Amino acid sequence: MAAYLQWRRFVFFDREAVKEPPAPDGAGAKPFVLPPGIAVCDSGRGSLVFGDMEGQIWFLPRSLQLTSFQAYKLRVTHLYQLKQHSILVSVGEDEEGINPLVKVWNLEKRDGGNPLCTRIFPAIPGNKPTVVSCLTVHENLNFMAIGFADGSVVLTKGDITRDRHSKTQILHEGSYPITGLAFRQSGKTTHLFVVTTENIQSYTLSVKDYPHLELDTHGCGLRCSSLSDPSQDLQFIVAGNECVYLYQPDERGPCFAFEGQKLIVHWYRGYLIIVSKDRKTSPKSEFAGSEAQNSDKQILNIYDLCNKFIAYSSIFDDIVDVLAEWGSLYVLTRDGKIHVLQEKDTQTKLEMLFRKNLFEMAINLAKSHHLDSDGLSEIFRQYGDHLYNKGNHDGAIQQYIRTIGKLEPSYVIRKFLDAQRIHNLTAYLQTLHLQSLANADHTTLLLNCYTKLKDSSKLEEFIKTSESEVRFDVETAIKVLRQAGYYSHAVYLAEKHAHHEWYLKIQLEDIKNYQEALGYIGKLPFDQAESNMKRYGKILMHHVPNETTELLKILCTDYQPSGDKEGPGILEGKKANSEEFIPVFANNSRELKAFLEHMTEVQSDSPQGVYDTLLELQLQNWAHEQDEQIKEKLHNEAITLLKSGRFKTVFDKALVLCQMHNFKDGVLYLYEQGKLFQQIMHYHMQNEQYKKVIEVCELYGDQEACLWEQALGYFARKEEDCKEYIAAVLKHIESKNLMPPLLVVQTLAHNSTATLSVIKDYLVNKLQKQSRQIEQDEQRIQKYREETMRIRQEIEELKASPKIFQKTKCSICTSALELPSVHFLCGHSFHQHCFESYSESDSECPTCMPENRKVMDMIRAQEQKRDLHDQFQHQLKCSNDGFSVVADYFGRGVFNKLTLITDLPGKSATTIEAGLQRELLVHTKRST
């Protein structure tokens, strides 16, 4: 009772009297009036259906064109219009007495202009006549129940439109009149609610023998029961004079204390409609009038049971029934008038609630009307604004939280940016993150709220969510925490979410925890460990040099993350380029040397830059070292490195390094490896190491003969006493015949200390050799002359005197000659068969042929060289070394015919030879 009195009343329906269509003459429309004698009514399939006391059934469509047909001879007492089929079931009387008849009409088929009656049967339970009190039909057309005043219920099962396919039986018998019946279908289960004036029962029709259950021991009057829709779980509504009860098939549900004598009960679109009598004065304002009404008036109340309010309440005169059709409610009164109750649209209802600041009720109403999320969000926003303006910031933020996802967050954030409301703002931002709708700015703002409130517990709870529950931008959070000085929290986030750069940046730049940062790098995958060592290597090397060096050694050889539990070799073939990490060791030469030496030991194929840097480092240490023993050790290390063969491709760079650090042995070694023998000798010359100069000439003079000449020139320019060295050089020059004597004399003429005694032996030996050579040449000339004279005599003898062949043996087989035989003028004789076997030509002696052929080849070669003059002149002009060209042509015998010019007048052979030599000298000078 108390709950009912607290329910608010609203006018969510507009009341209007139904009027006739406007007349053609434009006269005002009159109220529509039904024919007199209407007793029962129903609605469905687009029409309002009425039955009167004269046996007619009337149909009123939306166009208000009323039609009727004679259904019974006397009267119509009950009507039931199915909602899903054009089937109308009626109960009436064709004759006086208690003889009710049930007729089933098919409204889609016609019989003489009237609907087709498909079935007629008497409505009598057994053989005792009694009055029908109520009627209901199942929408599947398989069940029909008829209640009687004597307490009986007749159930028709099967096709209710045909006698042949249906079966009728008495379902229920009792002593109290039946006042209400209703079918309830839930899945495949069918129930029938039966209510009398004294009790309520439920029958299960989908089970054999139809078991039943008594739900309550009190009932209701006629037309005071109804079945709700699925929004109220298809509950059976029974309205008593004190309360309204709701029932499930197996139990009683909730109860509502609505006072007044109930006359009619209906269910319409989630609303409970009750027509009742009220003995008290009627309410004012939205009711029919402001004056007190008599008790004869009837009150129509429309209740919203879900949201606990009265959607409409009004007073009518003697209501016949309330029908629902075309989306509206139609109220029929005894005077034949019809009033339509049109429900207001949802937005209008909400605006009415907004004006009264009933936001909670508006929210519930919107949900029950299945308003979309945008509409609900707008209600939450208005409710939040209302609470905010009232100063209820806690309540307001709760409403704003419900708008997340629809309302722009900045709208709420601007309202709560005041520091006094930071708690509310924090709650809103937390929810925004929980729904994964926050951006980087929202994360920044929330973390700033935490830090400003110094709420470490909330901050930790926020950032220490599991990996799958992260609903914020991690990088933004790290930035904010770092800026606010919460380094430990920032480091936790960076480590947990693998933001390696941020973790290392905070550890190294803010916390200064170098050891921890280095250990963290050692746990990273190869690519990230390599990039971070390049970025932070110098800082780590400055503070933890030994540990950093060890990590770099591992990174450049066989790196395996320290936290990886799997076996080694997973990253086989992945190793960093050691040359790229050399800049990391700036100002850490000791660690750099250890690193480079390690790399050269474990990786013989290390980059060239590693060897170059190691050489430079060793030379620097050698140059600056004062301790002789250590210096000797460094010297040996550098020489060993140079001899490793790693500097062949960068010979110049290694040479420059040795020269920069004045590393003499290294320079000489590299000169030797590069076959730069003249540079070696010049190096010794610059250092005035005379013995070394001689040694170089002895070692490499065979490979480069000019070294002796350069040595002679070097000693010749020295003013000090170098006779010993000059003598050694001259001795070698003499033995190898490297220089003409005249050139030697001219070279030594520049040295004031080199007297004639120095070259006396050289000149004497040279003259003696030439004398011996002249004697040998003269002997050879004499021999050739004698040979020539002998040959000429032989030729003359062959021409003038006969040749006697006295040989008795064959020159080939040395056997005695036998005929036939072959004789040659040279004196050789052969058997004919031996000659034919060994001779290549019939005209040549096989024995003399090899020697003769050599002579002929020489003659032909000289003939071919006769035309090489132009080519010789061209090469002589273009060559840088004219003497080599002349020597080459001398070797070919080109100039052997110069002796043929002896016949020229006025010139001797000696003069011609001198002129030729002068011309050759001139050409040589031009070419050089």
Side-chain angles (χ1 to χ4, degrees):
M1 183 73 68
Y4 163 69
L5 293 177
Q6 293 177 358
W7 284 21
R8 289 184 173 270
R9 296 174 182 267
F10 300 100
V11 183
F12 285 167
F13 287 81
D14 294 323
R15 174 177 172 177
E16 185 179 356
V18 176
K19 297 181 180 180
E20 293 182 353
D25 57 1
K30 299 179 180 178
F32 182 84
V33 179
L34 288 172
I38 297 298
V40 292
C41 57
D42 203 352
S43 63
R45 307 298 293 176
S47 297
L48 303 182
V49 186
F50 309 102
D52 60 14
M53 299 302 293
E54 296 179 357
Q56 292 189 88
I57 295 179
W58 300 79
F59 296 95
L60 180 64
R62 198 165 190 178
S63 62
L64 302 182
Q65 300 296 324
L66 195 62
T67 58
S68 66
F69 72 96
Q70 191 71 36
Y72 294 91
K73 295 179 181 178
L74 294 182
R75 67 183 65 85
V76 180
T77 59
H78 295 83
L79 289 175
Y80 192 92
Q81 172 68 57
L82 276 76
K83 303 300 185 287
Q84 299 177 12
H85 305 276
S86 294
I87 300 296
L88 175 66
V89 180
S90 62
V91 178
E93 297 177 4
D94 280 343
E95 57 186 19
E96 291 293 343
I98 304 176
N99 295 305
L101 289 176
V102 177
K103 294 184 179 183
V104 180
W105 308 90
N106 188 337
L107 303 180
E108 291 181 347
K109 295 182 179 181
R110 294 290 169 176
D111 181 15
N114 296 331
L116 175 64
C117 181
T118 61
R119 183 181 181 185
I120 301 175
F121 64 93
I124 298 177
N127 295 322
K128 49 182 180 180
T130 182
V131 178
V132 175
S133 59
C134 53
L135 166 71
T136 186
V137 181
H138 199 294
E139 288 292 336
N140 62 11
L141 300 179
N142 286 328
F143 292 104
M144 179 170 59
I146 304 173
F148 297 91
D150 66 352
S152 301
V153 175
V154 173
L155 177 66
T156 300
K157 183 178 180 181
D159 189 352
I160 64 169
T161 61
R162 293 181 176 86
D163 291 324
R164 184 179 304 174
H165 300 291
S166 64
K167 179 181 179 181
T168 301
Q169 66 183 84
I170 298 176
L171 178 67
H172 171 80
E173 289 183 334
S175 55
Y176 305 110
I178 304 299
T179 56
L181 296 170
F183 288 107
R184 181 184 188 273
Q185 186 71 37
S186 178
K188 295 183 179 181
T189 304
T190 305
H191 291 91
L192 174 64
F193 290 102
V194 178
V195 58
T196 67
T197 56
E198 299 297 332
N199 58 25
I200 303 169
Q201 297 189 45
S202 170
Y203 284 84
T204 304
L205 304 183
S206 54
V207 180
K208 189 179 181 180
D209 297 334
Y210 307 140
H212 69 280
L213 176 67
E214 186 173 11
L215 300 177
D216 218 330
T217 56
H218 59 81
C220 66
L222 283 173
R223 300 199 299 174
C224 289
S225 62
S226 180
L227 191 71
S228 69
D229 58 22
S231 66
Q232 279 292 334
D233 199 20
L234 297 174
Q235 297 186 91
F236 186 56
I237 302 169
V238 177
N241 288 336
E242 299 295 332
C243 296
V244 174
Y245 300 93
L246 276 65
Y247 296 93
Q248 291 284 357
D250 54 353
E251 63 180 353
R252 191 175 82 174
C255 171
F256 298 93
F258 298 149
E259 284 189 334
Q261 181 182 353
K262 311 301 187 296
L263 303 176
I264 301 173
V265 172
H266 284 293
W267 186 268
Y268 168 74
R269 289 187 177 180
Y271 292 112
L272 175 62
I273 303 169
I274 297 180
V275 177
S276 61
K277 289 184 178 181
D278 196 347
R279 298 297 180 181
K280 301 179 180 179
T281 56
S282 300
K284 299 181 180 180
S285 68
E286 63 263 31
F287 292 168
S290 60
E291 297 181 358
Q293 302 294 323
N294 297 327
S295 59
D296 295 337
K297 300 294 184 180
Q298 296 174 354
I299 300 176
L300 184 145
N301 288 324
I302 302 177
Y303 299 96
D304 189 329
L305 300 183
C306 292
N307 300 312
K308 305 294 189 295
F309 64 81
I310 301 175
Y312 185 74
S313 182
S314 183
I315 296 177
F316 291 87
D317 294 329
D318 200 1
I319 297 175
V320 174
D321 207 343
V322 179
L323 304 177
E325 192 65 24
W326 310 306
S328 301
L329 289 174
Y330 292 87
V331 182
L332 279 64
T333 56
R334 191 62 60 186
D335 56 7
K337 295 181 180 180
I338 303 176
H339 300 269
V340 59
L341 299 180
Q342 181 68 44
E343 186 177 10
K344 298 179 185 295
D345 61 87
T346 304
Q347 192 58 40
T348 303
K349 298 178 187 176
L350 295 176
E351 290 175 358
M352 294 172 63
L353 295 174
F354 293 159
R355 286 196 296 268
K356 298 181 179 181
N357 294 327
L358 300 175
F359 293 98
E360 286 290 351
M361 189 170 288
I363 293 169
N364 295 332
L365 178 66
K367 289 180 178 179
S368 64
H369 283 61
H370 305 289
L371 196 66
D372 60 11
S373 56
D374 292 331
L376 283 171
S377 177
E378 179 61 20
I379 300 174
F380 297 143
R381 183 195 65 78
Q382 294 187 35
Y383 192 14
D385 291 345
H386 170 70
L387 296 175
Y388 182 86
N389 294 330
K390 288 175 62 178
N392 184 0
H393 300 116
D394 293 338
I397 202 65
Q398 294 303 318
Q399 298 307 316
Y400 287 134
I401 286 174
R402 300 167 80 178
T403 66
I404 290 176
K406 298 297 180 181
L407 180 63
E408 178 61 35
S410 59
Y411 176 86
V412 180
I413 293 172
R414 281 196 300 268
K415 289 179 175 290
F416 291 91
L417 274 179
D418 188 346
Q420 294 180 354
R421 299 162 191 168
I422 194 170
H423 293 281
N424 302 127
L425 182 59
T426 303
Y428 179 81
L429 292 170
Q430 281 177 337
T431 309
L432 197 64
H433 282 80
L434 287 175
Q435 297 188 20
S436 302
L437 296 173
N439 57 29
D441 294 332
H442 299 150
T443 302
T444 302
L445 187 57
L446 177 58
L447 292 174
N448 283 327
C449 289
Y450 283 141
T451 55
K452 195 168 184 179
L453 292 172
K454 301 187 183 303
D455 192 346
S456 297
S457 60
K458 283 285 187 182
L459 182 59
E460 290 187 6
E461 180 183 352
F462 177 74
I463 67 174
K464 291 186 178 180
T465 53
S466 64
E467 188 74 26
S468 60
E469 296 176 352
V470 175
R471 297 182 175 90
F472 57 88
D473 185 75
V474 177
E475 187 170 358
T476 301
I478 295 172
K479 290 179 183 178
V480 176
L481 291 170
R482 184 189 182 202
Q483 187 176 5
Y486 284 79
Y487 300 126
S488 60
H489 296 78
V491 165
Y492 171 83
L493 269 184
E495 183 177 11
K496 178 180 178 182
H497 299 285
H499 285 263
H500 310 307
E501 291 79 6
W502 280 108
Y503 178 90
L504 295 172
K505 187 178 292 186
I506 297 170
Q507 287 281 25
L508 296 174
E509 297 178 10
D510 300 322
I511 304 178
K512 310 292 185 184
N513 193 343
Y514 305 104
Q515 193 68 45
E516 190 71 25
L518 188 65
Y520 185 82
I521 293 177
K523 299 177 183 178
L524 297 178
F526 171 79
D527 294 335
Q528 296 173 355
E530 181 186 24
S531 62
N532 282 294
M533 281 306 294
K534 290 178 180 178
R535 181 177 302 176
Y536 301 109
K538 289 184 179 180
I539 299 176
L540 293 170
M541 183 62 66
H542 179 70
H543 293 90
V544 281
N546 295 330
E547 293 82 351
T548 305
T549 304
E550 291 303 318
L551 180 58
L552 285 175
K553 289 179 181 179
I554 298 173
L555 188 65
C556 296
T557 52
D558 187 16
Y559 179 74
Q560 185 74 17
S562 58
D564 198 341
K565 301 300 182 184
E566 297 185 21
I570 275 183
L571 301 174
E572 185 176 356
K574 271 202 168 186
K575 52 187 176 183
N577 186 348
S578 51
E579 185 178 1
E580 296 177 354
F581 290 98
I582 292 176
V584 170
F585 293 89
N587 303 322
N588 293 81
S589 58
R590 182 174 61 85
E591 286 76 15
L592 175 59
K593 183 180 179 183
F595 173 72
L596 296 176
E597 289 177 346
H598 172 79
M599 294 309 302
T600 56
E601 289 173 4
V602 300
Q603 286 186 9
S604 59
D605 59 343
S606 294
Q608 185 61 43
V610 172
Y611 290 91
D612 296 343
T613 308
L614 180 58
L615 176 62
E616 182 179 3
L617 195 61
Q618 289 179 345
L619 293 176
Q620 284 180 355
N621 295 339
W622 174 83
H624 294 90
E625 184 59 51
Q626 301 297 325
D627 191 329
E628 290 299 329
Q629 293 183 352
I630 299 177
K631 194 176 185 72
E632 180 66 22
K633 180 182 177 182
L634 293 173
H635 174 277
N636 295 334
E637 290 178 354
I639 289 296
T640 303
L641 182 60
L642 284 173
K643 292 182 178 180
S644 65
R646 295 294 306 186
F647 298 94
K648 293 180 179 179
T649 58
V650 288
F651 173 82
D652 295 340
K653 182 183 290 187
L655 184 58
V656 169
L657 288 174
C658 292
Q659 290 172 341
M660 286 174 56
H661 297 88
N662 196 24
F663 189 59
K664 180 179 68 174
D665 292 347
V667 171
L668 293 176
Y669 172 77
L670 291 172
Y671 280 158
E672 182 181 355
Q673 293 300 308
K675 299 186 182 301
L676 303 176
F677 307 127
Q678 295 189 33
Q679 281 81 349
I680 296 176
M681 192 169 69
H682 290 161
Y683 182 84
H684 292 311
M685 289 177 178
Q686 290 175 358
N687 294 298
E688 297 186 352
Q689 296 175 335
Y690 301 147
K691 289 185 179 181
K692 292 290 185 181
V693 172
I694 299 299
E695 290 177 2
V696 171
C697 291
E698 291 175 348
L699 288 173
Y700 312 117
D702 294 340
Q703 302 179 46
E704 200 163 344
C706 64
L707 293 178
W708 290 105
E709 300 175 15
Q710 295 176 7
L712 181 62
Y714 169 72
F715 289 122
R717 289 190 295 271
K718 291 294 180 181
E719 294 300 326
E720 59 222 54
D721 189 4
C722 298
K723 295 180 181 180
E724 177 186 354
Y725 305 110
I726 293 174
V729 173
L730 286 175
K731 182 178 179 181
H732 194 84
I733 289 175
E734 179 188 357
S735 64
K736 297 293 184 180
N737 195 21
L738 299 177
M739 294 175 65
L742 182 59
L743 186 58
V744 171
V745 173
Q746 290 177 348
T747 302
L748 291 176
H750 299 289
N751 191 331
S752 59
T753 61
T755 59
L756 187 60
S757 62
V758 176
I759 60 171
K760 176 182 177 181
D761 295 339
Y762 168 76
L763 292 175
V764 169
N765 292 335
K766 199 68 176 173
L767 290 172
Q768 290 177 350
K769 283 184 179 181
Q770 289 183 354
S771 298
R772 287 192 296 270
Q773 184 66 37
I774 291 171
E775 291 177 358
Q776 291 176 0
D777 291 344
E778 288 178 348
Q779 293 175 1
R780 192 177 292 111
I781 290 170
Q782 184 63 31
K783 180 181 177 182
Y784 287 159
R785 284 176 178 174
E786 293 175 355
E787 183 70 19
T788 302
M789 290 298 294
R790 185 183 61 78
I791 293 174
R792 284 178 178 175
Q793 290 177 0
E794 289 182 0
I795 293 173
E796 288 298 327
E797 290 178 357
L798 290 174
K799 288 181 178 181
S801 59
K803 179 68 175 178
I804 300 174
F805 301 102
Q806 297 177 346
K807 289 283 184 89
T808 59
K809 291 183 179 182
C810 176
S811 297
I812 294 177
C813 65
T814 66
S815 299
L817 282 175
E818 295 177 356
L819 294 175
S821 60
V822 179
H823 303 275
F824 286 90
L825 290 176
C826 60
H828 297 106
S829 300
F830 309 92
H831 291 111
Q832 185 175 0
H833 62 86
C834 289
F835 176 77
E836 291 175 353
S837 300
Y838 292 95
S839 176
E840 296 180 4
S841 174
D842 294 342
S843 60
E844 292 186 15
C845 172
T847 303
C848 298
M849 186 178 63
E851 190 66 25
N852 293 339
R853 186 165 294 177
K854 289 182 181 179
V855 176
M856 294 304 295
D857 289 342
M858 291 174 63
I859 294 172
R860 279 193 295 269
Q862 290 180 356
E863 291 293 333
Q864 290 176 357
K865 294 176 181 177
R866 182 180 303 170
D867 300 327
L868 296 178
H869 178 73
D870 293 339
Q871 182 179 352
F872 166 73
Q873 291 293 337
H874 175 72
Q875 291 185 5
L876 189 63
K877 291 180 181 179
C878 297
S879 175
N880 292 329
D881 187 2
F883 286 108
S884 64
V885 176
V886 174
D888 180 49
Y889 277 83
F890 265 116
R892 295 182 186 180
V894 175
F895 304 108
N896 290 348
K897 297 182 180 181
L898 289 175
T899 55
L900 298 176
I901 311 177
T902 55
D903 296 334
L904 289 175
K907 289 187 179 180
S908 63
T910 306
T911 307
I912 293 172
E913 183 177 357
L916 178 61
Q917 290 178 353
R918 185 168 53 253
E919 184 179 355
L920 289 174
L921 288 172
V922 170
H923 282 295
T924 303
K925 289 180 180 179
R926 286 178 181 175
S927 62
T928 55

